[in-house]
Amino acid sequence: FDGSIAPAVSVDTLPEVPATADGPGWGIAPAGAQFTFFDGTESSSYPDSTLSVYPAAGFAAVGAGAGQELAALKTLIASQSANSKDQIPEVPIINAAQVIRGAVKYLTLADGGKGVRFLTFYAQDLSVASNQNLHYEFRGFSADGSHYVTAQFAVRSTALPDTVDYSALEQQFSVDGAYDQYLADVTTKLTGLPSDQFTPNLDQLDALVQSIEFPKG
C-alpha cells in the first residue's frame, strides 16, 4: 500500500465476541484478524485506520442479527445499488447511526471478490460532518464468499471544516427539514469531490482494498 496512508502496519488476532442473552448486540463477531495502520510508534496509532478479515459463515453462528446483516450486505453488493439513501449494513453491528453515505463505489478485489466503499460519519445524536469524524469505509467478500472484509480509515476532505460551532447550527437546524437537507447537500458535495481532495487520497485507499487476495482452496 502507498506509504502516505501510513508508514507501518501491525496484525493482531481478534477474539470471538458471541451474543449473550441480555446483551445489546453490538460488536458480535467470530474470531478474525485485524490490520492496524499506524505511524510506527506504540503510543500514536492512526485513528480508526483498520482492516479486518473474518470467516463469513461465523457471523450466523455467533448471533442471528449479525448473520442477517451480513446476508443483507451480500444482497446489496450483488445489486450494486448506488442510492445514497440506502443503509449499508454494518457488520459487526455498532452502537451508532450511519448518518450519510457519499461517494458509493463498488470495487473488485485481487481474487475476484466484490465489495462496496463509501464515505460516512457516525453519531448517536444530531451531528454534522467534519474532518474530525469523516470515514472511508469498505465492506466486501472474497470471490468464493468464505471471507468477509471490513475496513475503515479516518479521512479529511477539503470540502469539510476541521471544527464545528454547534451553537451556530442550533438555530439553523431548528427549521423543519433543514437537517435532512444539510445531510443531502454534504453527501452530494463529498460524492462530487475528486479523490485527490481527500487525505489519504481515495484512489490510494481503493488500491489498498483491491490488493486483497485470498488463497485458493
Side-chain angles (χ1 to χ4, degrees):
F1 60 91
D2 192 290
S4 65
I5 294 174
V9 61
S10 64
V11 188
D12 299 287
T13 299
L14 294 172
E16 178 182 315
V17 181
T20 58
D22 56 352
W26 318 127
I28 295 169
Q34 183 174 85
F35 299 81
T36 301
F37 298 83
F38 65 106
D39 67 359
T41 67
E42 291 184 2
S43 60
S44 183
S45 291
Y46 281 24
D48 302 324
S49 297
T50 60
L51 187 152
S52 304
V53 182
Y54 299 92
F59 282 93
V62 294
Q68 291 166 1
E69 285 291 294
L70 206 67
L73 179 63
K74 286 183 178 180
T75 300
L76 176 68
I77 293 172
S79 68
Q80 296 206 357
S81 168
N83 187 346
S84 63
K85 294 183 179 181
D86 290 342
Q87 178 82 16
I88 295 177
E90 293 287 349
V91 188
I93 299 170
I94 65 173
N95 185 22
Q98 187 185 98
V99 185
I100 62 170
R101 287 152 296 280
V104 177
K105 183 178 180 180
Y106 290 86
L107 304 177
T108 300
L109 306 186
D111 77 331
K114 305 288 184 182
V116 59
R117 67 93 142 146
F118 58 102
L119 300 174
T120 192
F121 70 98
Y122 298 91
Q124 295 177 317
D125 54 11
L126 188 147
S127 189
V128 300
S130 75
N131 284 324
Q132 295 181 350
N133 62 14
L134 186 65
H135 286 164
Y136 168 106
E137 302 276 337
F138 175 79
R139 315 274 183 267
F141 299 89
S142 60
D144 63 4
S146 64
H147 289 84
Y148 166 63
V149 181
T150 178
Q152 67 170 17
F153 289 85
V155 294
R156 301 171 63 84
S157 163
T158 58
L160 296 180
D162 290 336
T163 59
V164 176
D165 181 1
Y166 279 94
S167 62
L169 294 172
E170 187 174 348
Q171 184 174 359
Q172 175 187 339
F173 291 153
S174 66
V175 178
D176 286 346
Y179 183 63
D180 289 341
Q181 186 59 55
Y182 162 78
L183 295 179
D185 291 344
V186 168
T187 300
T188 299
K189 186 182 296 185
L190 292 174
T191 299
L193 206 63
S195 293
D196 63 3
Q197 296 301 298
F198 295 88
T199 305
N201 187 314
L202 300 189
D203 289 340
Q204 294 172 344
L205 294 175
D206 287 346
L208 185 157
V209 168
Q210 290 176 297
S211 73
I212 298 170
E213 187 170 8
F214 295 93
K216 294 189 179 2

